[in-house]
């Protein structure tokens, strides 16, 4: 019997973490070895547990999850990064690609999609929606996204987007 | 010189007979003649009288003719001089012309007409020179004046341009400030609007959750309450669905999310949307839903967006009826759009109409003309984002429909939304209309790429297109894979720069074994020599390339290989 895929879950919502832990725990060949509720914690936990795969929420407070992923990849180059996000946003997908992610699952997909993404990533096959995948451009510097959409949110800086996300979560402005 | 006054001719010659004969001849022809017997006197007369022409002999005592010529040329270069001399040697003539003589007449003058001709010729030339100079002078003056005008215009233009540049900079700066301010305002309004909508829905959820809890706790005492609990849970589910719709609409508004349109019975869609309204509108508002139309009006629509239209219009109606009133939501059966007068409409089309009317305060014409502008609101701060009707307008347009408003102050407002009808079976899903992508049929592709992420993405693309993929991370692994799957491999997709052995090196090795399986070589470098190293079964793909392009290329290469194979057979 082969070694199970060790997984770290990173999501600031405890309910989501617990749901995923419960769901992945039922899968054979998968083991959730660590959880974290933000990017900073994720880096610490990754160092301690060296998971095969990190399933990370793309929309968390604290150190930006994409920066955390880059740090984890630097420390553990073989660790696979898979993003879980509320929606497909070109900027997020681009950031995920830049953070060497091999998967991007949206939360409106069934939990089976998360399982499939982890299994695919572990077998060397990326998991992006077909619509996103066909737009990926392989450049000399790595994968990027062709024709990123010009949504109104693109007028916000990265920091403004981050602050808005905090506000949307009901966090204090102070 | 003017035509009225006779021309003055000065004759400088030491021979009196010559002076007399020339003088007599010229005076007879209307000239005024002055005489001087040598060069010195001649120059004195010249300086005092300013003759029009000077006739001068070369050989004279004291000051000779050559010196006279030099002096006149120096002092008055415009005065013509004619040498009248008996020294008929070429060197004298050359020297005289060199010193400024205009003409040369030999003595003895056998025919005085020659002299007359010479005098008239130089006078005419002088006249022309003077006129030319005068003209040049005038021209220069005009040029100078025009130049001054142009310089002034240029300076003014430069000033205007500088002012325009400053104005542009200032405008850009203000625009940037305005953009920032609008951005912040939009962010604030959006956040406020979203919070408001969600709070409403959370209120519905918490209220029904509380109701359900209360009913369950009393279940033992009150029979039949389980049905009520189920109804409350149903309402919770609907509110959650509505909340998802709000998110979807926001994302749709910022062009992030494609809408999920499908053939929808407009009546059913509106009924579902209206159910939640019954529980959220105050009791003072009478809600009338009239959707019982036959035949059913099928439209190509996103049900969530239909709900959003109804919810937004109903909220506006509620706010327009603070003291209560009647809100009527009706759907008309499909009708031929032949009587409409609007020029933009295509007549003869079947349309269905959704009509939402209230008995509220109504709107004056100036408000009606602006209601579909984003962020335009008549509600007090914190009560509305001004996005509701703008979103509805966008949704209706996206559905190929039209929205019209009729309102009278004090009587109420009616919104009429027309949707083009479709057949019940039709579906306008993008997947149905999209051209079919090239697909594989399980052909095995050997993919060699050292970068894990790139390899995984390419593998995902190829497997999603129906191909089987075996992967290799370096040259050695590539050759091992080839050995293992040799007969099954239909295509190589190789990166040029593989660790251990380059992709091209491996391919050459494979080719020496007589394998002509097609190959796509991927290169990120701009090495122009690379093409020359490729065989006829190999094509080059240079980075950057899009995954869809790779899919097409793989399909085309495999099709070409199949064609070659058939030709061989």
């Amino acid at each position: 019997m082969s070694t199970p895929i060790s997984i770290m879950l990173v999501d600031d919502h405890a309910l989501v973490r617990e749901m995923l832990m419960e769901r992945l725990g039922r899968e054979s060949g998968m083991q959730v070895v660590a959880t974290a509720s933000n990017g900073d914690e994720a880096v610490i936990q990754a160092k301690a547990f060296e998971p095969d795969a990190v399933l990370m929420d793309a929309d968390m407070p604290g150190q930006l999850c994409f920066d955390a992923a880059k740090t984890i990849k630097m420390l553990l180059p073989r660790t696979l990064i898979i993003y879980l996000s509320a929606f497909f946003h070109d900027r997020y997908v681009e950031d995920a690609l830049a953070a060497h992610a091999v998967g991007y699952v949206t939360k409106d997909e069934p939990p089976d999609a998360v399982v499939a993404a982890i299994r695919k990533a572990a077998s060397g096959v990326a998991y992006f929606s077909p619509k996103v995948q066909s737009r990926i451009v392989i450049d000399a510097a790595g994968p990027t996204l062709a024709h990123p959409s010009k949504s109104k949110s693109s007028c916000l800086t990265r920091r403004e987007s981050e602050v808005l996300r905090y506000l949307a979560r009901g966090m204090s402005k102070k | 010189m003017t035509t009225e006054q006779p021309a003055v001719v000065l004759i400088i010659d030491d021979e009196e007979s010559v002076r007399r004969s020339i003088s007599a001849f010229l005076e007879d022809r209307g000239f005024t003649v002055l005489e001087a017997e040598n060069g010195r006197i001649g120059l004195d007369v010249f300086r005092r009288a300013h003759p029009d022409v000077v006739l001068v002999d070369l050989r004279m005592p004291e000051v000779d003719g050559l010196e006279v010529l030099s002096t006149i040329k120096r002092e008055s270069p415009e005065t013509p001089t004619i040498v009248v001399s008996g020294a008929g040697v070429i060197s004298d003539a050359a020297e005289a012309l060199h010193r400024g003589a205009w003409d040369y007449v030999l003595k003895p003058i056998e025919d005085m007409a020659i002299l007359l001709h010479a005098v008239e010729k130089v006078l005419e030339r002088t006249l022309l020179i003077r006129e030319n100079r005068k003209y040049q002078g005038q021209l220069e003056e005009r040029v100078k004046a025009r130049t001054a005008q142009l310089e002034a215009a240029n300076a003014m233009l430069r000033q205007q341009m500088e002012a325009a540049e400053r104005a542009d900079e200032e405008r850009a700066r203000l625009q940037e400030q305005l953009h920032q301010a609008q951005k912040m305002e939009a962010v604030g309004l959006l956040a406020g609007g979203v919070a408001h909508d969600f709070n409403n829905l959370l209120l519905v959820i918490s209220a029904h959750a509380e109701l359900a809890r209360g009913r369950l706790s009393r279940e033992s005492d009150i029979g039949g309450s389980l049905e009520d609990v189920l109804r409350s849970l149903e309402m919770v589910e609907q509110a959650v669905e509505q909340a998802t719709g709000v998110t979807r609409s926001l994302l749709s508004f910022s062009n992030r999310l494609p809408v999920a349109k499908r053939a929808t019975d407009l009546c059913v869609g509106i009924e579902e949307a209206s159910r939640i309204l019954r529980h959220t509108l105050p009791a003072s508002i009478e809600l009338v839903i009239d959707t019982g139309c036959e035949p059913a009006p099928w439209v190509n629509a996103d049900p969530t967006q239909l709900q959003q239209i109804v919810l937004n219009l109903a909220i506006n109606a509620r706010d327009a009826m603070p003291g209560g009133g009647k809100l009527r939501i009706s759907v008309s059966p499909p009708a031929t759009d032949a009587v409409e007068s609007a020029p933009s409409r295509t007549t003869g089309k079947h349309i269905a109409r959704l009509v939402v009317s209230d008995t509220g305060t109504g709107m004056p014409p100036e408000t009606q003309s602006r209601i579909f502008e984003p962020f335009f609101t008549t509600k007090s701060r914190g009560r509305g984002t001004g996005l509701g009707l703008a979103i509805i307008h966008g949704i209706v347009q996206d559905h190929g429909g039209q929205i019209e408003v009729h309102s009278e102050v004090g009587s109420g407002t009616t919104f009429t939304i027309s949707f083009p009808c479709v057949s019940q079976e039709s579906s306008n899903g993008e997947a149905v209309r999209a051209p079919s992508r090239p697909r594989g049929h399980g052909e095995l592709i050997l993919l060699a790429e050292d970068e894990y992420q790139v390899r995984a993405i390419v593998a995902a693309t190829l497997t999603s297109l129906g191909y089987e993929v075996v992967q290799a991370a370096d040259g050695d692994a590539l050759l091992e894979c080839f050995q293992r799957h040799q007969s099954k491999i239909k295509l190589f997709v190789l990166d040029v720069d593989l660790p251990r052995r380059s992709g091209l090196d491996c391919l050459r090795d494979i080719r020496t074994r007589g394998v002509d399986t097609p190959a796509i070589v991927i290169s990120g470098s701009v090495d122009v020599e690379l093409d020359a190293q490729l065989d006829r079964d190999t094509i080059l793909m240079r980075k950057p390339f899009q995954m869809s392009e790779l899919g097409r290329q793989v399909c085309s290469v495999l099709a070409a290989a199949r064609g070659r194979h058939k030709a061989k057979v």
Side-chain angles (χ1 to χ4, degrees), chain B residues 399-457:
Chain B
H399 283 71
Q402 286 202 335
I403 182 164
E404 286 164 14
V405 60
H406 175 76
S407 185
E408 277 179 32
V409 176
S411 301
T413 302
T414 300
F415 283 94
T416 305
I417 300 169
S418 314
F419 292 102
C421 289
V422 296
S423 65
Q424 184 178 347
E425 296 76 23
S426 74
S427 165
N428 202 16
E430 196 176 332
V432 177
R433 288 189 303 163
S436 60
R437 287 193 299 161
R439 290 197 63 83
H441 301 91
E443 294 94 331
L444 186 65
I445 297 172
L446 198 166
L447 165 66
E449 159 69 53
D450 57 325
E451 219 287 300
Y452 186 88
Q453 188 194 24
V454 172
R455 195 169 72 238
I457 289 170

Side-chain angles (χ1 to χ4, degrees), chain A residues 80 87 89 97 100-102 121 124-126 131 133-140 143 146 151-153 155-156 160 164, chain B residues 179-180 183-184 187 251 253-254 256 258 452-454 456-457 459-461 463-464 471 524 543-548:
Chain A
L80 306 168
F87 43 74
H89 186 322
L97 288 171
H100 302 281
V102 287
V125 178
K131 201 174 166 188
Q133 191 156 288
S134 65
R135 285 172 55 210
I136 295 177
V137 173
I138 300 296
D139 202 345
S151 76
K152 288 180 181 65
S153 64
C155 70
L156 299 178
E160 285 166 352
L164 191 58
Chain B
H179 176 67
Q180 282 295 332
K183 200 161 81 175
M184 288 303 109
V187 166
L251 296 177
F253 189 66
S254 58
R256 278 188 196 151
Y452 186 88
Q453 188 194 24
V454 172
I457 289 170
T461 302
T463 51
S464 72
Q471 300 184 23
K543 294 176 186 174
F545 59 84
Q546 205 170 324
M547 286 298 97
S548 51

Side-chain angles (χ1 to χ4, degrees), chain B residues 81-397:
Chain B
T81 48
I82 300 171
V83 172
V84 182
S85 178
V89 291
I90 291 173
S91 60
D92 282 351
E95 183 62 22
L97 291 172
H98 177 71
R99 295 209 184 193
W102 290 33
D103 207 345
Y104 198 102
V105 178
L106 276 175
K107 280 198 293 192
I109 304 167
E110 288 175 359
D111 185 355
M112 290 298 265
I114 293 172
L115 179 70
L116 179 64
H117 177 72
V119 169
E120 284 176 340
K121 198 173 73 181
V122 296
L123 282 172
E124 192 181 354
R125 197 172 150 202
T126 310
L127 184 67
L128 286 173
I129 287 170
R130 284 180 184 158
E131 281 182 353
N132 191 29
R133 180 157 303 137
K134 188 179 164 192
Y135 177 71
Q136 270 190 342
Q138 287 173 344
L139 199 64
E140 277 174 14
E141 280 301 313
R142 286 172 61 187
V143 168
K144 203 184 281 179
R146 186 73 186 133
T147 305
Q149 280 178 354
L150 287 173
E151 278 174 355
N154 200 22
M156 192 180 288
L157 198 63
R158 198 177 296 120
Q159 279 178 357
Q160 285 174 348
M161 279 169 67
E162 282 169 4
E165 271 176 27
R166 279 197 300 275
D168 278 349
E169 283 169 14
E170 181 65 7
R171 194 177 303 118
R173 194 179 63 77
L174 288 172
Q175 240 165 8
E176 177 60 21
Q177 280 182 359
L178 184 65
H179 176 67
Q180 282 295 332
Q182 282 177 336
K183 200 161 81 175
M184 288 303 109
E185 188 190 4
V187 166
L189 286 169
L190 271 172
V194 171
H196 182 72
D197 286 354
F198 271 100
N199 279 342
N200 280 344
L201 293 163
L202 289 174
L203 193 67
V204 173
I205 293 169
S206 67
H208 281 285
E210 203 177 303
L211 269 175
R213 184 197 294 274
R215 280 162 178 162
L216 277 179
S217 64
R218 283 179 283 138
E219 192 184 10
S220 53
D221 306 326
I222 308 165
S225 64
L226 201 57
E227 209 171 286
D228 293 335
V229 172
L230 282 173
R231 200 173 301 123
S232 283
L233 287 176
E234 201 178 304
M235 293 316 300
V236 168
E237 279 174 357
Q238 276 184 29
V240 168
E241 199 179 320
Q242 196 64 45
T244 312
V246 171
T247 315
R248 174 174 280 273
S249 301
L250 269 175
L251 296 177
S252 170
F253 189 66
S254 58
N255 300 325
R256 278 188 196 151
L257 209 68
V259 293
K261 282 186 234 167
R262 56 176 185 265
T264 305
D265 182 346
L266 188 59
C267 291
V268 175
I270 300 307
E271 276 165 19
E272 283 175 5
S274 305
R275 283 171 69 189
I276 202 162
L277 287 177
R278 293 191 190 280
H279 301 273
T280 48
L281 290 174
S284 58
I285 294 176
E286 182 193 349
L287 178 64
V288 179
I289 308 287
D290 179 10
T291 54
C293 51
E294 196 63 43
W298 287 88
V299 295
N300 188 36
D302 180 342
T304 310
Q305 294 199 321
L306 286 181
Q307 287 181 16
Q308 194 178 4
I309 291 173
V310 173
L311 188 70
N312 270 297
L313 290 178
I315 288 170
N316 284 348
R318 180 199 65 190
D319 294 344
M321 298 185 287
K326 186 189 274 188
L327 170 62
R328 183 183 171 85
I329 301 173
S330 63
V331 177
S332 67
T336 308
D337 186 24
V339 291
E340 298 297 336
S341 58
S344 59
R345 284 219 176 109
T346 309
T347 55
K349 223 167 40 177
H350 277 85
I351 57 156
R353 286 198 181 85
L354 164 66
V355 181
V356 179
S357 58
D358 65 57
T359 55
T361 49
M363 292 178 282
E366 58 270 25
T367 304
Q368 286 180 50
S369 66
R370 296 192 60 197
I371 52 171
F372 296 116
E373 288 177 20
F375 303 120
F376 176 78
T377 182
T378 55
K379 296 177 187 177
S380 57
R381 198 174 179 81
R383 295 275 297 164
T385 60
L387 277 175
L389 285 173
I391 289 176
I392 289 178
H393 190 255
I395 292 172
V396 171
Q397 277 201 327

